[in-house]
Amino acid sequence: MLLNCPHCNAAIPGTEINIPDNIAKCAECNQVFRISDAVDGSFNNEHKTHLMMPQGIEVVPGLQLDIKLKWRLISRVRSYFIIGTMFTVIPLVGIVALTSNHQELPFFVPFILGLFLLIGVYFLFKAISFLINTTYLSVTAFELRSEHRPINFLGWKNLQFSRDQVAQLYVERYEESRTNDRANYAYNVLVFLKSKEIVKLISGLKNPRVAFYLEHQIEKYMGLKDRPMEGEYIPGQRDPRLIMQVAKQLEKMPAFLQRIVKDKLEKEQ
């Protein structure tokens, strides 16, 4: 279901949705309303607000909210160690074998072994960083600060934002890797600034519950109202804001394309 009436919550069929004009009509209560109002009004954030504190997070509430993220508990440390070890040991064995035989080899063989070795070293550094690092978040009604300690191999930035700078926080999902042609997803907590800039506050989380918990707690302490954002990850359902994206794209397109979209919306009900 893509759109509901903001007055009676009835499903709106595709034939009653006028995308280019941003209006729709409810067949149940005959109310005419803006699509954008219905999209914002139907935003459900229970997947954030009804969460227990996930493993790997320590929260100290008080005059300010202090959050500790222990990366060894919330990241894929073991996987990174395995990948790093494989990509490091195999090239080293190959290099030792090649140098002991004193045979002439094509130039690309040392290049490939060196490339594998660099990949292995990168994953080992990543694993070590996740193993020993902790991220500290400090949140008040006036500012948000993040700091990574004790060693920052990955170049994570320590950040600081005032309340006047921050418009919204939200979570995005991205494909980190693939295993047997199946996507392995990771999650970022993003800060959307009033200057329209988007900054990664926390990146590479493997558990979406950690990301949602952080977003909700930070927004609550900073007094930010949770609003839907373009590109935000909402688990278990399609993002209703796609309607508005389609509206912008089809605004100047021929009427037959608008009819196709309406037919598709009606089939989705």
Side-chain angles (χ1 to χ4, degrees), residues 3-6 9 34-44 228 240:
L3 190 64
N4 294 81
C5 175
N9 205 37
R34 293 189 301 175
I35 298 174
S36 55
D37 292 341
V39 170
D40 288 344
S42 63
F43 181 56
N44 188 337

Side-chain angles (χ1 to χ4, degrees), residues 93-109:
V93 171
I95 291 171
V96 171
L98 291 175
T99 54
S100 62
N101 290 334
H102 302 289
Q103 296 179 353
E104 286 193 23
L105 296 170
F107 73 94
F108 61 83
V109 173

Side-chain angles (χ1 to χ4, degrees), residues 1-3 11-14 17 264-269:
M1 189 177 296
L2 291 178
L3 190 64
I12 307 299
I17 298 175
K264 183 170 179 59
L265 289 174
E266 191 169 23
K267 290 177 183 179
E268 293 281 353
Q269 304 297 327

Side-chain angles (χ1 to χ4, degrees), residues 5 8 20-21 30 44 55 57 63 72 74 87 96-97 136-137 143 182 252 259 263:
C5 175
C8 69
D21 293 333
N30 293 321
N44 188 337
Q55 183 184 10
I57 293 180
L63 295 178
R72 66 181 182 275
I74 60 176
F87 275 79
V96 171
Y136 298 85
L137 297 172
E143 70 171 2
R182 294 184 61 182
K252 299 179 180 179
R259 288 196 296 271
D263 291 341

Side-chain angles (χ1 to χ4, degrees), residues 69-77 80-81 121-135 148-157 203:
L69 279 73
K70 298 182 177 180
W71 285 98
R72 66 181 182 275
L73 300 176
I74 60 176
S75 64
R76 299 184 176 96
V77 174
Y80 295 141
F81 265 120
V121 170
Y122 167 77
F123 275 100
L124 285 177
F125 270 13
K126 195 170 185 177
I128 293 171
S129 183
F130 281 139
L131 184 65
I132 65 177
N133 264 23
T134 299
T135 294
H148 309 282
R149 299 198 300 262
I151 300 174
N152 191 352
F153 284 141
L154 302 180
W156 292 332
K157 293 181 179 179
S203 61

Side-chain angles (χ1 to χ4, degrees), residues 52-224:
M52 299 290 289
M53 187 188 304
Q55 183 184 10
I57 293 180
E58 291 183 9
V59 176
V60 182
L63 295 178
Q64 70 178 34
L65 179 68
D66 292 315
I67 303 175
K68 289 200 297 186
L69 279 73
K70 298 182 177 180
W71 285 98
R72 66 181 182 275
L73 300 176
I74 60 176
S75 64
R76 299 184 176 96
V77 174
R78 184 180 299 176
S79 299
Y80 295 141
F81 265 120
I82 293 172
I83 296 172
T85 302
M86 289 177 56
F87 275 79
T88 303
V89 171
I90 292 175
L92 287 176
V93 171
I95 291 171
V96 171
L98 291 175
T99 54
S100 62
N101 290 334
H102 302 289
Q103 296 179 353
E104 286 193 23
L105 296 170
F107 73 94
F108 61 83
V109 173
F111 174 78
I112 293 174
L113 290 176
L115 182 61
F116 272 69
L117 186 60
L118 286 176
I119 294 173
V121 170
Y122 167 77
F123 275 100
L124 285 177
F125 270 13
K126 195 170 185 177
I128 293 171
S129 183
F130 281 139
L131 184 65
I132 65 177
N133 264 23
T134 299
T135 294
Y136 298 85
L137 297 172
S138 297
V139 189
T140 69
F142 307 104
E143 70 171 2
L144 165 63
R145 289 184 288 113
S146 69
E147 185 178 356
H148 309 282
R149 299 198 300 262
I151 300 174
N152 191 352
F153 284 141
L154 302 180
W156 292 332
K157 293 181 179 179
N158 297 333
L159 301 171
Q160 183 172 354
F161 306 102
S162 69
R163 172 63 176 81
D164 294 336
Q165 290 179 285
V166 179
Q168 191 69 48
L169 278 82
Y170 66 100
V171 174
E172 72 167 359
R173 182 176 74 167
Y174 66 95
E175 185 177 312
E176 185 182 42
S177 61
R178 298 189 72 85
T179 304
N180 297 326
D181 205 31
R182 294 184 61 182
N184 299 315
Y185 292 107
Y187 306 86
N188 297 328
V189 179
L190 304 179
V191 180
F192 182 70
L193 303 177
K194 292 180 180 179
S195 63
K196 308 301 181 183
E197 183 184 1
I198 299 174
V199 181
K200 289 182 182 179
L201 179 66
I202 304 293
S203 61
L205 294 167
K206 70 174 184 177
N207 187 344
R209 293 195 299 272
V210 175
F212 291 136
Y213 185 85
L214 292 175
E215 178 197 346
H216 176 62
Q217 293 298 320
I218 293 170
E219 286 182 339
K220 182 171 69 173
Y221 260 74
M222 296 190 77
L224 298 170

Side-chain angles (χ1 to χ4, degrees), residues 2-3 19 35 39 228-232 234 237-250 261 264-265 268:
L2 291 178
L3 190 64
I19 290 177
I35 298 174
V39 170
M229 295 292 297
E230 183 176 346
E232 180 176 2
I234 303 176
Q237 67 181 41
R238 291 186 59 179
D239 188 347
R241 286 152 296 171
L242 290 175
I243 298 175
M244 297 309 301
Q245 295 177 22
V246 172
K248 293 176 183 178
Q249 294 171 3
L250 297 184
V261 173
K264 183 170 179 59
L265 289 174
E268 293 281 353

